[in-house]
Amino acid sequence: MIANTLADLQAVREVSSKNFRVEKVTMDSAADWGLHDGALQHASRGFFAVVGVRSRTGPRAERVLLYQPQAAITGLLHCVHEGRRHFLIQARAEPGCVDEVQFGPTIQSTPANYMRMHGGAGSPYADAFITHDPRVTITGDTTQSDLGLRYLMKSKRLILAEYHGPMEAKPGFVWASADAIRDAIACSTFLNIDLRGLLALSDWSAQPGRGLEPASASVARSLSRPVRPDRLGRLHADLATATAAYDPVALDRLANWRLDGTGLHEIEPAQGFSVEFYKVQAALREVGSWSQPLVNSHGEGYCGLALRHNDEGVEVLVQVAHEAGLASGSGVAPTFLHYPGARRGAVPQGRTLIGTVESDEGGRFFRDVSRYEIFTAPDADLPSDQGFHWLNLAELKLLLRTSNVCTIQMRGLASQLLALRDG
C-alpha cells in the first residue's frame, strides 16, 4: 500500500487502532513481572528493568531509572518510486501512546522481541536490518542515546536502508511518500519520536527523489552552508565532561520511593513520576496480550528550539545538557528542555513557528507528553551562557548523524525543520 497524502495515512492509522485495549492492573496480576534482585524485572530477565541507583560522586543522589542493556534496533526502509522518495512506516499501537496508535519506523525492536523471547511472532522486516539482503543498501547506521533522565545508559542503533525490491507492505505497514511524511510532521501525536529521529538523520535535499525536501527555502539554504570547525570545536569542548558513576540500590531500600501493590511511587516529588502496571490487548502486535510496567509522569514536558534568520538562512540555538543516564554524560539538546513531571523553568515569550505535542515511547511510558516547538525570540531574551551554541543546519545535520551526540529530544525537534514554512 502507498500513502501519498496525510488522509491516506490517517486511514491506515484508524484500521490499526481496532481491537486495542489498555487497563491498569496491580503488580500481582502483571504476569511474569515482579521484584527480583532488588529491581522490577520480567521473569525472563529480558526486555527491560526498573532499577534504583545512587551517585558515587557529588551529592549522593538516588534515582529510579529504566535499565535496558540490549541495544534496540530502530530502522527505516526507503526507496524511490516514480521519481519520489518513499518510506516504509508502521501504524504502531502501544499501551502508552496518546491516541493509542502512532506511526513508527519499519522496525522498532529490542533483541528480546526480534529473538521472540515473548513466545510470539517475530518482528516484521527485522531481517532487512540484522541479516544480509541483496535488495537492501545501508545508507546510515549510528548508535544514539535515549532519554537521559529516564534510562540508565541506554543506546539504540538507528539504521536507514534503501530497498530495491517490490513495494509490498504487510498489515499495519504503508509506504508513505515524502510529501505525506512532511505533512504528518506538523501533526501532533502522529509520528512517534523514534520515527521523527530517523527522519532527522535521513538525507535532506531540495532535489526530488534525493531525500526529504524541506518546505522552507531558508532551511534548504542553511543546509548548504559550510561547517565552521571553530564553532563545532567549542561545542565539543563543552561535551567533554566526565561520565557519571552509579551504584545499584534495591528499589525497596530507596529513601524517597514506596513500593506497594499498585507500583512504585515517590514519597516527596523529585523525579516527577510513578511506575504502574498495565495489561494490554493488541490484535496487530507480535503477541496478542501482555502485562508490563510503564512510567507515568505527573505533568507535561517542554522542548523548545530557538531559531533566527540571517543572510545564510537560519541558525538554531542548542545547549550541552548533562543528564544522569547518558553513557557519555552529556549531549546536544534543544534550547529549553523540561522533562514531563519536572519543575518547569522560565521560557521566553516568543513567536511559535511550528509546534506539536508528542508522547514519549509508548512501550515504556504511559501518555507522557511534551510540547515540542520551534520559535523565534530576541537574542537578548535567550540564554547566552557557556554551553549554548548557535549552529547552521549543515552543522546540526553533521552532529545528528554522529553517534551519541544529540539527545532524543533534539532529534525529534530537528524533524520539525522539514515542515517549517517561510513567512
Side-chain angles (χ1 to χ4, degrees), residues 93-111:
E94 291 279 18
C97 283
V98 174
D99 299 328
E100 295 182 345
V101 176
Q102 295 177 354
F103 281 100
T106 314
I107 184 172
Q108 185 179 327
S109 182
T110 64

Side-chain angles (χ1 to χ4, degrees), residues 220-295:
R221 188 162 65 252
S222 185
L223 289 169
S224 66
R225 304 310 303 170
V227 170
R228 296 164 290 188
D230 58 331
R231 187 71 56 97
L232 292 186
R234 289 194 293 270
L235 184 147
H236 277 285
D238 287 338
L239 282 170
T241 57
T243 302
Y246 293 93
D247 292 316
V249 181
L251 291 176
D252 54 2
R253 297 182 67 85
L254 292 172
N256 193 43
W257 290 83
R258 181 186 77 254
L259 184 65
D260 60 26
T262 64
L264 187 65
H265 309 276
E266 284 188 303
I267 298 170
E268 296 293 334
Q271 290 185 254
F273 64 82
S274 300
V275 180
E276 300 167 340
F277 287 83
Y278 296 83
K279 183 177 180 181
V280 187
Q281 292 180 316
L284 294 178
R285 291 298 303 273
E286 297 92 337
V287 176
S289 65
W290 70 92
S291 299
Q292 67 169 98
L294 293 170
V295 170

